[in-house]
Amino acid sequence: MSAVVTDHEHDHEHHDHKPSGIKRWFYTTNHKDIGTMYLVFALIMFFIGGTMAMVIRAELFQPGMQFVEPNFFNQMTTVHGLIMVFGAVMPAFTGLANWMIPMMIGAPDMALPRMNNWSFWILPFAFLILLISLFLPGGGPNFGWTFYAPLSTKYSGDSTALFVFSVHIMGISSIMGAINVIVTIFNLRAPGMTWMKMPLFVWTWLITAFLLIMVMPVLAGAVTMVLTDKYFGTSFFDAAGGGDPVLFQHIFWFFGHPEVYIMILPAFGIVSSIVPTFARKPLFGYASMVYATSSIALLSFLVWAHHMFTTGMPVFAELFFMYCTMLIAVPTGVKVFNWVATMWRGAMTFEVPMMFALAFIVLFTIGGFSGLMLAITPADFQYHDTYFVVAHFHYVLVTGAVFSIIAAAYYWLPKWTGHMYDEKLGQWHFWCSLISVNLLFFPMHFVGLAGMPRRIPDYALQFADFNAFISIGGFLFGASQLIFVWVLVKCARGGEKATAQVWEGAEGLEWEVPSPAPYHTFETPPVIK
């Protein structure tokens, strides 16, 4: 038997043998293939979700009813949110984790490769089910991505069961991906890769994976109760049967708030990889970054009801959640300080990944500050359910999470494809995105403070000019992402050959393997000195 094993190893060393054609993608257990599939899937979902946002912005371009029925408008806001959160941002981060974590820790692959394949391949079916529901009689889910009861129970359409099933499948996929990340990082680190030597991207993903395992079952519980309330006569969220609609919000946000940190912690890891490379200095305060990430994760479980200040909670609870929310700003501030300190007196250059990382730091911080404003309970009574909230979370999720994913794509693309991307086109993509995204989301703060409610297909006349600007910004931002696709396609097809290190100043194991990264890396683990 041992001879067979040795032959097999020998085989891998000299032939990157992979099945060709479509079978390769269906059967693959290779972390790089699966990472690529997650990333491509996320990009497709990004454009589907973006198309829905374009429908929303077309309707809101002028006051009055223009293009769509109010019910369809609500389906667009709902499915746009679900697709962007569960279909674009999370799978993109999972794809980056699959691709990079094994290479960063010197592992041959993910620890559970078959489960890895399955956790990806159930996702297209989950989203197929969700998207098909839009074409059913009565339409798809129309109750907001937060699906508050009783909108999602008593007053929802017949397609709610499909929505619930779809969310269950997404949750199963996330939990399996998270288990895989944890087991890989615990068990497959190369000799000498101690905990405090791991790259920050690996740390942030490890902590994210624990968050996922803790909160995804809570979401599963919430959608199951919605299902039984609607179809099986239970009354979890129905006061007439002894339930409580506010209970739904507590359960949902106990998942939902850690979830938003799940969508930003990997971004912190990416920026913590990119900034030191282009400042040509080691990351300032590595240990404090690790502790700050852990603090954010722990505190994320103590702030959920800041989404519910207007539900009539006791004053003590409102104070508790207000102070805990403000407390999260401290470790986040530590991170921003450390990124700035890393750049301080560095030999800075401004390639596209660095430009997106810098935009991330500035614009994510703006989103953080509007979050602090929302944390102030009496002020939130004014902000709640206005466009100010929409502005806040799009600053942290678009100029935050999405910008970091784009930065990561530019940063690691030469390592994935073996070619340098087109720097000029990348800069066009950056500037077009930067200008349009601010035209899109900044005025939302103003219309929100002036009282424009969110999730409504029409508005009062005084908001007309701002909404026209916002919609133009939206269309331009959407169009700008086509440049990104062109950069990706062009880079995959060819271009200037990339070196193994790719970026002068890049440090870490992934920069020691050739570009493009071989199909199998670290068959024999590297030794970290």
Side-chain angles (χ1 to χ4, degrees):
M1 186 64 215
S2 64
V4 177
V5 174
T6 324
D7 273 356
H8 185 63
E9 282 176 4
H10 187 71
D11 178 57
H12 273 320
E13 233 164 82
H14 295 287
H15 316 285
D16 273 0
H17 82 133
K18 44 195 169 199
S20 54
I22 193 90
K23 271 189 175 165
R24 165 183 169 187
W25 301 101
F26 279 131
Y27 297 146
T28 184
T29 54
N30 181 285
H31 73 101
K32 299 182 181 81
D33 281 352
I34 294 170
T36 302
M37 291 195 298
Y38 266 113
L39 288 164
V40 170
F41 176 77
L43 189 65
I44 293 166
M45 285 296 141
F46 182 53
F47 276 95
I48 294 175
T51 306
M52 294 177 179
M54 297 299 93
V55 173
I56 295 167
R57 286 320 320 170
E59 179 54 60
L60 294 174
F61 182 63
Q62 291 182 304
M65 299 309 297
Q66 318 287 333
F67 299 104
V68 294
E69 295 293 314
N71 185 39
F72 186 73
F73 182 89
N74 292 347
Q75 292 172 49
M76 287 295 97
T77 53
T78 303
V79 182
H80 162 75
L82 289 166
I83 282 191
M84 288 312 209
V85 168
F86 295 109
V89 172
M90 290 170 71
F93 280 138
T94 311
L96 293 169
N98 264 304
W99 245 106
M100 301 316 300
I101 289 174
M103 295 206 306
M104 288 177 155
I105 63 175
D109 203 305
M110 296 293 278
L112 305 163
R114 291 188 184 177
M115 189 167 86
N116 207 10
N117 174 295
W118 199 54
S119 67
F120 172 76
W121 274 112
I122 61 176
L123 272 185
F125 295 98
F127 286 93
L128 196 65
I129 292 167
L130 180 63
L131 289 168
I132 281 175
S133 72
L134 292 169
F135 298 97
L136 288 178
N142 60 358
F143 30 68
W145 86 273
T146 52
F147 58 101
Y148 279 14
L151 296 179
S152 58
T153 51
K154 183 174 285 183
Y155 302 110
S156 65
D158 294 335
S159 65
T160 307
L162 290 177
F163 154 77
V164 170
F165 187 37
S166 166
V167 170
H168 270 307
I169 301 172
M170 296 171 203
I172 292 167
S173 167
S174 287
I175 289 170
M176 289 196 299
I179 289 170
N180 215 339
V181 167
I182 291 170
V183 177
T184 303
I185 296 172
F186 268 76
N187 293 344
L188 296 186
R189 280 170 294 139
M193 175 66 72
T194 55
W195 288 107
M196 293 313 267
K197 276 189 189 163
M198 296 196 315
L200 256 180
F201 180 70
V202 179
W203 260 117
T204 52
W205 239 110
L206 178 65
I207 290 164
T208 301
F210 276 107
L211 283 179
L212 277 166
I213 285 177
M214 288 189 272
V215 303
M216 276 305 181
V218 179
L219 175 66
V223 290
T224 305
M225 287 186 266
V226 164
L227 186 80
T228 58
D229 266 21
K230 179 159 181 63
Y231 296 99
F232 300 104
T234 56
S235 303
F236 293 112
F237 309 130
D238 183 6
D244 180 1
V246 179
L247 172 66
F248 173 86
Q249 295 185 34
H250 280 289
I251 298 167
F252 177 83
W253 286 115
F254 189 78
F255 146 80
H257 204 81
E259 162 67 22
V260 300
Y261 288 98
I262 286 164
M263 291 191 284
I264 205 67
L265 290 182
F268 291 164
I270 289 164
V271 173
S272 303
S273 300
I274 293 176
V275 170
T277 295
F278 296 99
R280 289 162 182 76
K281 278 177 63 191
L283 185 72
F284 181 89
Y286 171 88
S288 66
M289 289 295 241
V290 173
Y291 298 131
T293 310
S294 315
S295 318
I296 289 172
L298 286 170
L299 286 167
S300 76
F301 285 101
L302 302 175
V303 296
W304 78 89
H306 65 209
H307 298 267
M308 305 165 54
F309 282 149
T310 56
T311 54
M313 285 191 298
V315 173
F316 175 79
E318 306 218 304
L319 285 173
F320 173 85
F321 286 109
M322 175 169 87
Y323 287 125
C324 282
T325 304
M326 296 198 159
L327 205 55
I328 282 202
V330 178
T332 314
V334 167
K335 286 183 170 294
V336 174
F337 175 83
N338 284 2
W339 291 323
V340 175
T342 303
M343 293 185 275
W344 175 249
R345 302 182 73 174
M348 303 260 289
T349 53
F350 299 95
E351 285 83 353
V352 179
M354 184 61 159
M355 288 157 82
F356 273 103
L358 289 171
F360 170 96
I361 294 170
V362 175
L363 298 173
F364 172 78
T365 303
I366 291 176
F369 278 132
S370 61
L372 271 177
M373 292 171 67
L374 288 157
I376 301 168
T377 307
D380 184 69
F381 286 7
Q382 296 297 323
Y383 308 142
H384 185 80
D385 257 335
T386 69
Y387 258 82
F388 189 83
V389 180
V390 181
H392 157 70
F393 70 72
H394 283 89
Y395 263 87
V396 290
L397 284 175
V398 180
T399 62
V402 172
F403 268 31
S404 80
I405 291 162
I406 295 171
Y410 280 108
Y411 185 56
W412 284 311
L413 202 56
K415 179 57 64 185
W416 299 337
T417 63
H419 305 290
M420 295 306 286
Y421 60 85
D422 186 325
E423 184 75 22
K424 257 282 143 295
L425 270 178
Q427 293 191 349
W428 269 101
H429 174 222
F430 171 75
W431 287 110
C432 292
S433 297
L434 183 75
I435 293 162
S436 59
V437 84
N438 284 292
L439 179 61
L440 165 58
F441 294 124
F442 208 82
M444 288 184 182
H445 294 104
F446 303 135
V447 287
L449 291 176
M452 181 172 160
R454 54 189 285 211
R455 293 175 169 163
I456 309 284
D458 193 8
Y459 50 83
L461 290 174
Q462 66 264 32
F463 303 128
D465 292 353
F466 271 117
N467 271 287
F469 285 125
I470 292 168
S471 287
I472 291 165
F475 300 139
L476 290 173
F477 183 70
S480 305
Q481 304 324 303
L482 297 170
I483 307 174
F484 183 46
V485 174
W486 177 234
V487 172
L488 296 174
V489 170
K490 197 173 162 183
C491 185
R493 283 191 177 165
E496 185 196 334
K497 283 268 172 269
T499 59
Q501 194 186 7
V502 182
W503 308 108
E504 178 206 343
E507 283 181 19
L509 289 176
E510 78 263 39
W511 306 112
E512 290 173 23
V513 301
S515 305
Y519 199 58
H520 297 284
T521 35
F522 301 126
E523 298 260 301
T524 46
V527 178
I528 310 335
K529 292 178 184 58

